[in-house]
């Protein structure tokens, strides 16, 4: 290899284990030089968990598919237009992308051309910390100073911020996402100004892309400074006009709650179903966001233990937890131990099961039909009001009192 690496590291197991090893071996079988690229290299350098593994190769996608097939590895053409094939080894996905350069961009879509230069491929990536590549043996290639930026907590565009943003406005949101996750100290004024200048253009972005970036930003350990900078530059208003003040979000961060959707509910408390629809959230997340918006159930920390159990029964553990955490975050002078105890109790709680069923109602002489459900509901309510204590015997007695 003629190129000189910038350094050497010991790649983590996610990049050297049997699955990654098999994919790399398959792709290199024709002599191609393949490297890990992007986020997995960045996170490997930081010693953080590597989740998605991206691999780059000079081979074209059809050759990649053939090489995988020859090695008995499943390959799916997930993004052929962009040169991406997903290889699945040991049930784990690996994105294999042909080295590329962007030839034409209009702020939303890029027309790509393939290349065999890792350096050219690095130049079209968004931030220096995302533009490094790593040879499977541990040689690190860093054409744009990504490692120094990573060490310093600098999120820096590859090239001129304004020009790179004009190619793809999503990069504004990605800037804040990576700032939240990897930034330290003051952000670069030129990058911030370029984001501010582009705020008016963000309306063009698709809901799905806004959703992904917003949730990833909110999922950072402490997204609050990045969110405040988004607000200050007009970016937040452009992509999340539903956003209110940040105090509840700040409090949630303070109690170390990392759930991005809960954080979204804290930042945009009135968003609810309309926000979920606008961001095209998947159904389960949309339902959850709707349940976390007005009229919001606010469990007080002073709730009696039997009322807590009833609430858990009615809402289920996960919605109960959501509501407790939001109420805690909104509780300015709340006593943390009480809130914490509520969460611990929810964690330990086992859902009690009504000790009688439809069959028992029929056996009591009720004819099949809506009466069965109505009677069962009545008994369930009675049992619930008694803190779920009545046993089967007591419930059957109650049933014979109620049955006509
Ligand atoms: P994460 O760990 O959050 O997935 P990531 O760095 O892997 O972070 P992805 O969105 O998965 O981020 O993208 C993979 C890589 O592709 C990035 O590291 C970057 O090099 C490049 N990339 C992705 N989106 C863009 C973009 N809009 N413009 C330029 N480069 C991009
Ligand atoms: Mg990734």
């Amino acid at each position: 290899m003629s190129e000189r690496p910038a350094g050497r590291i010991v790649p983590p197991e996610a990049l050297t284990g049997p699955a990654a090893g098999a994919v790399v071996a398959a792709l290199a079988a024709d002599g191609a030089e393949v490297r890990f690229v992007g986020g997995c290299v960045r996170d490997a350098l930081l010693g953080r968990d590597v989740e998605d593994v991206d691999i780059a190769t000079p081979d074209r996608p059809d050759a990649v598919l053939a090489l995988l097939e020859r090695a008995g590895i499943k390959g799916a053409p997930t993004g052929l237009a962009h040169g991406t094939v997903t290889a699945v080894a040991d049930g784990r996905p690996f994105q294999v992308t042909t080295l590329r350069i962007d030839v034409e961009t209009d702020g939303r879509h890029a027309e790509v051309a393939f290349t065999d230069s890792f350096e050219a491929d690095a130049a079209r990536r968004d931030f220096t910390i995302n533009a490094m590549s790593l040879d499977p043996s541990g040689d690190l290639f860093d054409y744009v100073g990504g490692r120094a930026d990573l060490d310093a907590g600098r999120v820096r565009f590859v090239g001129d911020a304004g020009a790179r943003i004009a190619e793809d406005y999503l990069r504004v949101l990605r800037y804040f996402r990576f700032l939240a996750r990897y930034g330290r100290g003051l952000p670069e004024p030129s990058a911030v100004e370029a984001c501010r200048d582009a705020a008016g253009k963000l309306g063009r972005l698709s809901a799905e892309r806004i959703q992904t970036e917003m949730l990833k930003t909110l999922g950072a350990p402490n997204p609050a400074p990045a969110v405040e900078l988004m607000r200050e530059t007009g970016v937040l208003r452009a992509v999340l006009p539903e956003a209110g003040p940040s105090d509840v979000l700040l409090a949630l961060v303070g109690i170390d709650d990392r759930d991005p959707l809960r954080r979204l509910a804290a930042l945009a408390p009135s968003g609810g179903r309309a926000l979920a629809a606008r961001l095209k959230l998947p159904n389960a997340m949309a339902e959850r966001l709707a349940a976390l918006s007005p009229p919001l159930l606010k469990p007080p920390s002073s709730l009696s233990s039997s009322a807590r159990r009833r609430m858990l029964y009615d809402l289920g553990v996960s919605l109960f937890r959501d509501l407790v955490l939001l109420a805690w975050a909104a509780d300015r002078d709340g006593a943390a131990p009480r809130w914490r105890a509520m969460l611990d109790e929810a964690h330990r709680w086992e859902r009690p099961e009504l000790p009688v069923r439809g069959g028992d109602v029929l056996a009591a002489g009720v004819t099949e039909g809506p009466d069965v459900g109505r009677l069962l509901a009545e008994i369930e309510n009675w049992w619930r009001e008694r803190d779920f204590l009545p046993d089967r015997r007591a419930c059957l007695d109650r049933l014979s009192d109620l049955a006509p």
Side-chain angles (χ1 to χ4, degrees):
M1 194 191 313
S2 53
E3 235 183 296
R4 265 176 65 86
R8 273 189 72 75
I9 68 166
V10 179
E13 134 76 31
L15 305 183
T16 55
V23 175
V24 164
L27 297 174
D30 65 349
E33 182 188 0
V34 300
R35 296 185 194 161
F36 300 107
V37 286
C40 64
V41 179
R42 177 197 66 219
D43 290 338
L45 276 168
L46 288 176
R48 293 195 189 175
D49 284 350
V50 167
E51 269 145 41
D52 305 338
V53 177
D54 290 302
I55 298 174
T57 173
D59 280 332
R60 304 298 187 259
D62 48 351
V64 167
L65 284 169
L67 286 166
L68 291 172
E69 192 179 348
R70 204 187 303 161
I73 295 173
K74 209 177 127 213
T78 39
L80 276 194
H82 288 103
T84 303
V85 166
T86 302
V88 182
D90 282 352
R92 289 182 30 209
F94 296 84
Q95 301 287 336
V96 183
T97 303
T98 304
L99 292 171
R100 47 177 258 212
I101 45 175
D102 295 335
V103 285
E104 205 175 78
T105 49
D106 64 357
R108 286 180 59 169
H109 305 287
E111 201 171 301
V112 306
F114 297 131
T115 172
D116 50 16
S117 159
F118 279 92
E119 184 163 5
D121 184 82
R124 62 101 189 156
R125 293 179 182 270
D126 46 9
F127 306 108
T128 59
I129 59 173
N130 290 346
M132 291 175 276
S133 54
L134 182 72
D135 173 81
S137 74
D139 280 335
L140 179 75
F141 297 86
D142 178 12
Y143 307 100
V144 288
R147 187 172 200 175
D149 286 342
L150 192 62
D151 289 344
R154 271 192 305 264
V155 181
R156 198 158 57 85
F157 282 90
V158 175
D160 178 71
R164 300 309 311 282
I165 288 172
E167 290 170 3
D168 178 3
Y169 289 105
L170 185 72
R171 290 177 186 154
V172 170
L173 299 188
R174 291 178 62 85
Y175 178 73
F176 293 104
R177 185 224 301 187
F178 289 102
L179 199 62
R181 195 90 177 74
Y182 302 93
R184 285 196 311 278
L186 285 180
E188 258 189 26
S190 59
V192 174
E193 289 322 304
C195 290
R196 189 193 309 279
D197 291 344
K201 305 277 175 51
L202 302 181
R204 305 178 183 187
L205 295 173
S206 74
E208 288 87 350
R209 300 182 89 190
I210 294 178
Q211 179 213 118
T212 308
E213 296 302 325
M214 221 40 237
L215 289 175
K216 287 199 168 184
T217 303
L218 289 172
N222 179 10
V227 168
E228 282 328 286
L229 197 57
M230 288 176 79
R231 192 191 296 281
E232 197 269 311
T233 49
V235 169
L236 190 64
R237 183 148 25 98
V239 295
L240 193 68
E242 300 86 349
S246 286
D247 45 341
V248 181
L249 171 65
L250 274 168
L252 263 189
V253 171
I255 56 187
D256 198 27
D257 175 44
R258 297 229 178 153
D259 184 88
L261 200 77
R262 207 147 45 217
R263 287 173 166 189
L264 180 64
L267 180 60
S270 55
R273 209 170 283 285
L275 173 58
R278 193 174 63 72
L279 292 180
K280 301 208 170 126
L281 287 175
N283 277 344
M285 286 173 96
E287 288 306 318
R288 191 170 156 221
L289 194 64
L292 301 185
S293 53
L296 190 66
L297 207 60
K298 292 186 180 135
S301 66
S302 57
L303 214 58
S304 75
S305 56
S306 58
R308 285 204 295 270
R309 281 189 287 275
R310 269 200 297 279
M311 210 168 164
L312 272 163
Y313 186 79
D314 296 343
L315 302 176
V317 179
S318 71
L319 182 53
F320 179 86
R321 278 182 55 85
D322 278 344
L323 294 171
V324 167
L325 279 159
L326 285 175
W328 178 3
D331 177 12
R332 242 153 273 279
D333 35 37
R338 294 177 78 157
W339 290 111
R340 187 81 64 201
M342 265 170 101
L343 293 174
D344 289 347
E345 182 180 336
H347 186 69
R348 286 191 308 268
W349 181 75
E350 273 177 50
R351 189 181 172 80
E353 206 183 320
L354 182 66
V356 291
R357 291 160 187 272
D360 299 312
V361 181
L362 292 175
V366 179
T367 39
E368 231 174 308
D371 281 347
V372 176
R374 200 159 350 102
L375 251 174
L376 262 185
E378 215 172 303
I379 294 170
E380 182 180 24
N381 202 32
W382 173 84
W383 167 76
R384 175 185 168 283
E385 291 296 322
R386 279 151 194 77
D387 204 13
F388 314 98
L389 291 172
D391 60 6
R392 178 167 165 79
R393 185 72 261 143
C395 288
L396 286 173
D397 286 348
R398 179 74 189 163
L399 174 61
S400 57
D401 288 350
L402 290 175

